[in-house]
């Protein structure tokens, strides 16, 4: 998971590594992908849906950037299952219901990490300087999982959970197994899991002491809980009102297990291989000995309305539901921001581009596998909740400066891009199908009614 926060916290957690209930309630290095790039074949519809009905404050991680910008600007001035996704606290994260044993939680839906975890009762929270702070600073919205309150929880002895996310946040804690019957968190490869031998996190070494295990969906497929080895995600953009609110915004898309998410789509679709990595160098590489970590794909080019320059990019681009913005090469981000009318101006401290919310925004395009996917201009205007000296509401662009296009840099197509496509991840063939969505208004798409068996 790559997050936007620059803060650091640690907490004790319980990691629930997968006893899946059968009862649903649900670097820049250009290397061409191996394998054909083909138009996608029709995918079966997932046919079981449940709404999110609870409300919870979201974690501090992804709201930190927008909060910092607000403060900065103010100072200057077997069955197939589908579950509905909710968003909250400025619609910067997507949540779904999860039940561990008999205890309910809302967890972030994340294709950029593999572990499923929840805080444990009594967790400790620390600030950037590693000083203890109140639990409220971690903003989990729950007192945590009660190990003693679960009759089905089993601890894994002589192991520990230890992960550091892309923004520097880290978590350590105990590892255990419990039955759960709805929701998920980490959806990426088993090679990216973060359980290690021993009980001292200081002794952990990747991959020397790593204990890979099957994440949620891998276990569901292995145990025959779903009939097809793929899941798909459709994320809806929120309304301006929801993006300025800390409340849970219900019904903001779907996760579909074993089928395609039930939203309207166009005929523009393509299936491409997931890019493998050299396990030693962690650089993209093709061949029979590659290791899969993230859902990384080749992106042939990026462009936007009125652009006359070809921006070839990199295959080191991750499809990540757990990242709010798109992180693209600097030259692409700068050129795109300059094409706003009026132009968006970069905040050099944060790397984000700020513009009046009434600006005219070019349509951003991403070419994957020879198919051009469009990003609705609405996804590149994120309200900051502040005004300039003339009383104009200010927004941030959803396209972020991800750094120079050079070896070692990883770029991300996050929620800005993913609001506009349905992405179907096949864990058996290691391929991804992208399907352009039918345009929809902010605050939720018109959905096909999910079928129920």
């Amino acid at each position: 998971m790559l997050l936007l926060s620059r803060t650091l916290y640690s907490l004790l957690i319980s990691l629930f590594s997968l006893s899946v209930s059968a009862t649903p309630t649900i670097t820049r290095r250009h290397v061409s992908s191996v394998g054909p790039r083909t138009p996608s074949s029709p995918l079966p519809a997932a046919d079981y849906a449940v709404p999110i009905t609870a409300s919870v404050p979201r974690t501090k991680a992804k709201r930190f950037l927008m909060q910092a910008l607000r403060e900065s600007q103010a100072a200057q001035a077997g069955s197939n299952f589908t579950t509905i996704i909710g968003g909250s606290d400025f619609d910067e994260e997507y949540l779904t219901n999860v039940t561990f044993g008999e205890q309910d939680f809302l967890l972030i839906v994340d294709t950029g990490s593999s572990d499923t975890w929840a805080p444990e009762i009594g967790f400790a929270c620390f600030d950037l300087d590693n000083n203890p702070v109140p639990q409220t600073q971690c903003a989990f919205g729950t007192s945590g999982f009660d190990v003693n309150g679960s009759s089905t929880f089993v601890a894994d002895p002589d192991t520990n959970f230890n992960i550091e996310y892309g923004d520097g946040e880290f978590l350590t804690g105990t590892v255990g197994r419990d039955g759960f019957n709805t929701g998920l968190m980490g959806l990426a490869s088993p090679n990216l899991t973060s359980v290690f031998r021993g009980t001292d996190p200081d002794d952990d070494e990747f991959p020397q002491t790593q204990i890979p295990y099957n994440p949620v969906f891998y276990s569901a497929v292995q145990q025959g809980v779903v009939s097809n080895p793929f899941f798909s995600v459709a994320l809806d953009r929120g309304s301006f009102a929801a993006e300025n609110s800390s409340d849970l915004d219900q019904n903001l898309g779907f996760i579909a297990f074993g089928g395609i998410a039930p939203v309207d789509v166009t005929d523009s679709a393509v299936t491409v291989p997931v890019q493998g990595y050299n396990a030693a160098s962690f650089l993209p590489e093709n061949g029979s000995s590659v290791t899969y970590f993230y859902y990384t794909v080749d992106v042939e080019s990026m462009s936007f309305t009125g652009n006359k320059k070809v921006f070839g990019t990199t295959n080191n681009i991750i499809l990540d539901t757990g990242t709010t913005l798109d992180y693209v090469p600097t030259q692409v981000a700068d050129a795109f921001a300059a094409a706003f009318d009026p132009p968006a101006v970069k905040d050099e401290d944060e790397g984000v581009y700020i513009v009046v919310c009434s600006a005219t925004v070019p349509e951003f395009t991403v070419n994957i596998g020879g198919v051009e996917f469009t990003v609705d201009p609405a996804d590149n205007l994120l309200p900051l909740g502040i005004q300039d000296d003339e009383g104009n509401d200010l927004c941030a662009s959803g396209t972020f400066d991800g750094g120079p296009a050079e070896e070692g840099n990883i770029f991300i197509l996050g929620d800005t891009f993913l609001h506009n496509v349905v992405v179907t991840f096949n864990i058996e063939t290691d391929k991804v199908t992208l399907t352009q969505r039918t345009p929809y208004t902010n605050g939720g798409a018109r959905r096909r009614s999910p079928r129920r068996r």
Side-chain angles (χ1 to χ4, degrees), residues 288-302:
S288 58
S289 61
V290 297
T291 301
Y292 293 99
F293 292 102
Y294 302 103
Y295 295 112
T296 306
V297 296
D298 288 327
V299 173
E300 296 186 4
S301 64
M302 296 178 176

Side-chain angles (χ1 to χ4, degrees), residues 110-422:
D110 188 15
T111 60
S113 70
S114 299
D115 302 291
T116 298
W117 57 264
E120 181 181 359
I121 283 180
F123 66 85
C125 184
F126 298 86
D127 65 14
L128 185 63
D129 298 318
N130 210 28
N131 298 312
V133 295
Q135 288 186 352
T136 54
Q137 293 295 308
C138 281
F140 285 122
T142 174
S143 60
F145 178 77
D146 183 1
V147 173
N148 296 324
S150 174
S151 61
T152 53
F153 176 79
V154 179
D156 283 354
D158 197 32
T159 59
N160 75 94
F161 177 62
N162 185 1
I163 189 170
E164 181 172 349
Y165 292 110
D167 62 348
E169 293 180 335
F170 66 88
L171 303 98
T172 62
T174 56
V175 180
R177 302 170 187 269
D178 205 337
F180 71 88
N181 56 10
T182 179
L184 51 89
M185 186 183 173
L187 291 163
S189 167
N191 297 313
L192 204 59
T193 54
S194 303
V195 174
F196 297 88
R197 293 193 300 270
T199 58
D200 186 351
D202 291 336
D203 294 335
D204 296 340
E205 275 190 81
F206 181 88
Q208 289 85 348
T209 63
Q210 181 199 27
I211 307 174
Y213 68 90
N214 277 340
V216 174
F217 188 68
Y218 283 76
S219 287
V221 171
Q222 182 184 54
Q223 298 173 22
V225 178
V226 293
S227 55
N228 296 302
F230 46 80
F231 67 93
S232 70
V233 180
L235 304 180
D236 290 354
R237 79 181 64 89
S239 65
F240 259 40
E243 289 173 349
N244 275 304
S245 171
S246 61
D247 295 332
L248 180 72
D249 191 4
Q250 299 189 26
N251 303 338
L252 274 183
F254 294 92
I255 307 176
F257 302 96
I260 191 168
V263 297
D264 291 331
V265 296
T266 71
D267 293 331
S268 294
V270 70
T271 298
V272 295
V274 174
Q275 179 70 41
Y277 285 81
N278 181 306
S281 66
F282 211 72
L283 293 176
E285 187 174 288
N286 292 301
S288 58
S289 61
V290 297
T291 301
Y292 293 99
F293 292 102
Y294 302 103
Y295 295 112
T296 306
V297 296
D298 288 327
V299 173
E300 296 186 4
S301 64
M302 296 178 176
S303 191
F304 47 87
T305 306
N307 174 50
K308 301 187 184 306
K309 182 177 180 180
V310 176
F311 292 106
T313 65
T314 168
N315 61 338
N316 206 358
I317 296 184
I318 300 169
L319 301 172
D320 184 10
T321 62
T323 296
T324 306
L325 308 179
D326 289 348
Y327 285 70
V328 304
T330 301
Q331 63 171 345
V332 179
D334 284 348
F336 179 58
F340 282 49
D341 185 16
V345 178
K346 183 188 287 188
D347 182 308
E348 295 294 343
D349 291 333
E350 299 294 344
V352 75
Y353 301 85
I354 300 172
V355 69
V356 293
C357 295
S358 59
T360 301
V361 181
E363 185 177 73
F364 196 81
T365 60
V366 180
N367 188 307
I368 300 175
V371 176
E372 188 173 88
F373 296 94
T374 60
V375 176
D376 193 298
D379 289 306
N380 275 297
L381 286 175
L382 307 179
L384 294 174
I386 57 174
Q387 297 178 329
D388 64 14
D389 292 339
E390 297 178 1
N392 299 305
D393 292 330
L394 292 178
C395 282
S397 170
T399 302
F400 192 90
D401 178 4
E406 61 187 26
E407 186 172 88
N409 273 359
I410 296 175
F411 301 100
I412 302 169
L413 291 176
D415 299 342
T416 296
F417 174 75
L418 296 174
H419 289 157
N420 300 274
V421 296
V422 177

Side-chain angles (χ1 to χ4, degrees), residues 437-449:
R437 293 182 61 174
T438 302
Y440 61 93
T441 57
N442 291 19
R446 180 170 61 87
R447 301 172 175 81
R448 301 196 304 270
S449 298

Side-chain angles (χ1 to χ4, degrees), residues 9 57-63 89 93 108 117 138-140:
Y9 61 81
R58 296 166 61 196
T59 63
K60 198 173 182 180
K62 287 191 178 165
R63 68 181 183 180
D89 201 5
E93 290 173 350
I108 301 165
W117 57 264
C138 281
F140 285 122

